[in-house]
Amino acid sequence: MILYLSDVVFMCALHKQAANLEKIVQTPNKIGYLCLDIRKNMPVLEKIVISDFRNIRLQELEFSPNVNCISGNNGEGKTNLLDAIYYLSMTKSAFASSDKFNFRHGTEEFSLAGTYRMENGLSSRFALKMTSKGEKKVRRDDKPYQKVSEHVGVLPIVMVSPADISMVSESGEERRRFVNAVLSQMDREYMSALQQYNRLLLQRNRMLKDMDVDRALLEVIDMRMSMLAEPIYQARKRFVEELKPIVAEYYKALSGGSELVDIEYESELSKAGLDQILAASFDKDRVLKYTSAGIQRDDFSFTMNGHPIRRYGSQGQQKSFLVSLKFAQYEIMKKNYGFAPVLLLDDVFDKLDMGRISNLLQMVASNDFGQIFITDSNKVRMSGIVDKLTQDRAYFETVSGTFSKI
């Protein structure tokens, strides 16, 4: 399939350095690219069964391997379906900080099961069950994982949603959460180091609450934390450096604006090792009774023309930046895995004008993207644009947590 810049606006231009794009034609008027169908090699969600998850009582749905469009009024369950798909990949919600918010009212457990066509062409069934007692079990083809975390990264996924605005408007915790979620999918050593670091951090904070702190034991913990912090810091640094130019390219293509967007990684480890930092902050930490320094305090600043986006960017500019950020994540993950992750686009059209919406959908409908799930309360708007881009799509409508294929 040959796609031309005049027909697909900018998608292939953004990806001309990607491994799955091959230049094949050059004429005085057009440059053509062959976009290889990477969907042949990626996990595709063929069917999902959802039981007692949020407002969904029991649903069994089969999906298109290309574009899946979910419509319905606000509050009917569109986002809950996408969150169920996300949960099946990440073993946690994209939104709720506690699993207690994921149980359907009056129930004590929920379960999710998905049948995926894997990269080897064979099907695998992934099942997850969560109880109100805090027991979480994940299985692949009826075989349980020894650790739930072993499943993270097996089914790579990217979610774009209105909740992403918290990365601009709130504290660094949300930005760290984003970076940790991306790197944990791609790098098991990063995830393991982060988990160990957080366990030691909890232990250190408990010790700081004691009236008589065992300084010798604290120094041992500080050294272990320092050894774990360094590879975490280096991984975050590399990720941001890779992320920055891709975000800038997507933002330029999506918005058509002349604004220059940038991301800067802010970490105390850029100045000294963590063991030195913790030693210097001991007196302060003892008074505060918690650890005030370390990679858990890292931040990532988002700027536009050198100024914070949260103060100087309009709602449309902030939304364009966040979509660009998530698409850059998608690009990096695709390069890392060698195939496209599943892409969840939740209400992405909100606060975007029709020009940006058209650019966005031209981009995601390209063969360069894999399986996509899109939600929108405006069924006419969504179908009007999607139908012009591809005939390989499925439509669903939801009312009170019940989904109908239309």
Side-chain angles (χ1 to χ4, degrees):
M1 176 181 180
I2 299 176
L3 302 176
Y4 292 102
L5 291 180
S6 59
D7 301 321
V8 186
V9 186
F10 55 83
M11 189 62 224
C12 290
L14 288 179
H15 295 86
K16 62 186 177 182
Q17 294 181 344
N20 61 324
L21 290 178
E22 181 180 346
K23 186 174 178 182
I24 58 168
V25 176
Q26 185 167 357
T27 69
N29 298 318
K30 297 180 178 180
I31 299 175
Y33 292 86
L34 176 65
C35 296
L36 305 181
D37 191 352
I38 57 179
R39 282 175 292 179
K40 294 178 181 178
N41 300 315
M42 69 179 192
V44 171
L45 178 57
E46 297 179 320
K47 182 173 74 172
I48 193 169
V49 179
I50 306 170
S51 176
D52 292 328
F53 184 79
R54 294 181 173 256
N55 77 327
I56 303 174
R57 182 177 181 275
L58 180 62
Q59 291 289 285
E60 180 176 337
L61 302 169
E62 296 184 358
F63 299 116
S64 163
N66 188 25
V67 179
N68 297 273
C69 305
I70 302 101
S71 61
N73 293 328
N74 292 331
E76 297 293 344
K78 303 185 302 295
T79 298
N80 293 343
L81 173 59
L82 265 58
D83 199 24
I85 297 170
Y86 184 90
Y87 203 118
L88 200 50
S89 288
M90 296 296 292
T91 72
K92 63 174 65 176
S93 169
F95 310 107
S97 57
S98 171
D99 270 314
K100 67 181 180 181
F101 299 111
N102 296 319
F103 297 92
R104 192 172 65 86
H105 181 69
T107 64
E108 295 187 352
E109 68 176 40
F110 66 81
S111 62
L112 307 169
T115 301
Y116 287 78
R117 188 179 72 246
M118 303 303 289
E119 53 266 40
N120 58 10
L122 302 177
S123 290
S124 280
R125 185 177 186 272
F126 297 87
L128 183 150
K129 180 178 286 188
M130 180 74 195
T131 71
S132 58
K133 295 180 180 179
E135 298 176 19
K136 184 181 293 185
K137 296 181 179 180
V138 185
R139 295 174 177 268
R140 178 174 183 174
D141 296 326
D142 294 326
K143 296 180 181 179
Y145 288 96
Q146 290 186 346
K147 296 180 180 178
V148 171
S149 60
E150 292 176 359
H151 176 65
V152 176
V154 174
L155 304 172
I157 197 163
V158 175
M159 163 83 88
V160 185
S161 86
D164 294 337
I165 194 63
S166 63
M167 286 196 287
V168 169
S169 61
E170 297 183 11
S171 68
E173 181 178 358
E174 290 300 317
R175 293 180 284 277
R176 286 192 300 275
R177 185 172 180 241
F178 161 70
V179 172
N180 288 337
V182 179
L183 291 176
S184 292
Q185 288 193 76
M186 298 190 297
D187 187 346
R188 291 194 180 279
E189 291 184 2
Y190 177 91
M191 180 169 58
S192 176
L194 186 64
Q195 290 172 335
Q196 293 179 63
Y197 179 93
N198 287 335
R199 284 194 291 268
L200 289 170
L201 179 62
L202 288 173
Q203 185 178 352
R204 190 177 196 273
N205 287 341
R206 282 195 299 267
M207 291 182 64
L208 289 169
K209 289 179 171 62
D210 292 339
M211 293 296 294
D212 187 18
V213 178
D214 185 338
R215 189 67 185 267
L217 178 57
L218 198 71
E219 288 177 355
V220 172
I221 292 174
D222 289 357
M223 186 60 65
R224 290 176 62 191
M225 289 176 65
S226 180
M227 293 174 64
L228 293 165
E230 183 61 26
I232 293 171
Y233 164 72
Q234 293 296 340
R236 289 176 176 178
K237 184 178 178 181
R238 288 192 302 269
F239 175 64
V240 171
E241 288 305 310
E242 187 174 7
L243 192 68
K244 289 165 65 169
I246 307 174
V247 172
E249 283 294 317
Y250 271 117
Y251 183 86
K252 182 179 180 181
L254 180 61
S255 70
S258 58
E259 307 92 1
L260 299 177
V261 296
D262 198 10
I263 304 171
E264 292 297 332
Y265 176 31
E266 302 167 356
S267 177
E268 295 167 309
L269 269 71
S270 64
K271 300 176 182 177
L274 184 61
D275 54 339
Q276 297 174 282
I277 295 169
L278 292 177
S281 66
F282 172 73
D283 291 335
K284 177 182 177 181
D285 292 353
R286 192 171 184 180
V287 172
L288 294 173
K289 299 188 182 301
Y290 66 85
T291 306
S292 63
I295 58 167
Q296 75 280 5
R297 309 286 293 179
D298 286 359
D299 205 349
F300 306 85
S301 62
F302 301 153
T303 61
M304 178 180 295
N305 293 333
H307 303 291
I309 288 180
R310 66 177 179 178
R311 294 180 183 172
Y312 292 90
S314 67
Q315 287 186 327
Q317 288 171 328
Q318 290 179 7
K319 183 68 175 280
S320 294
F321 173 82
L322 290 168
V323 170
S324 301
L325 178 68
K326 290 300 187 77
F327 278 19
Q329 171 197 348
Y330 186 98
E331 186 73 22
I332 291 171
M333 289 179 65
K334 183 180 63 180
K335 177 182 176 182
N336 182 271
Y337 280 96
F339 55 77
V342 170
L343 180 62
L344 309 176
L345 302 175
D346 184 31
D347 200 19
V348 291
F349 305 145
D350 183 45
K351 297 183 178 67
L352 292 180
D353 57 42
M354 287 305 296
R356 297 187 191 201
I357 290 172
S358 179
N359 286 348
L360 174 64
L361 285 182
Q362 290 278 11
M363 181 162 55
V364 300
S366 163
N367 271 354
D368 199 45
F369 278 71
Q371 190 178 28
I372 303 164
F373 294 81
I374 306 174
T375 70
D376 190 14
S377 57
N378 189 329
K379 179 172 62 177
V380 175
R381 173 175 61 184
M382 182 164 54
S383 61
I385 298 175
V386 171
D387 287 352
K388 294 178 182 178
L389 299 175
T390 179
Q391 293 301 308
D392 186 3
R393 75 282 187 272
Y395 286 100
F396 301 86
E397 190 165 15
T398 179
V399 177
S400 300
T402 300
F403 296 82
S404 304
K405 199 167 186 178
I406 54 177

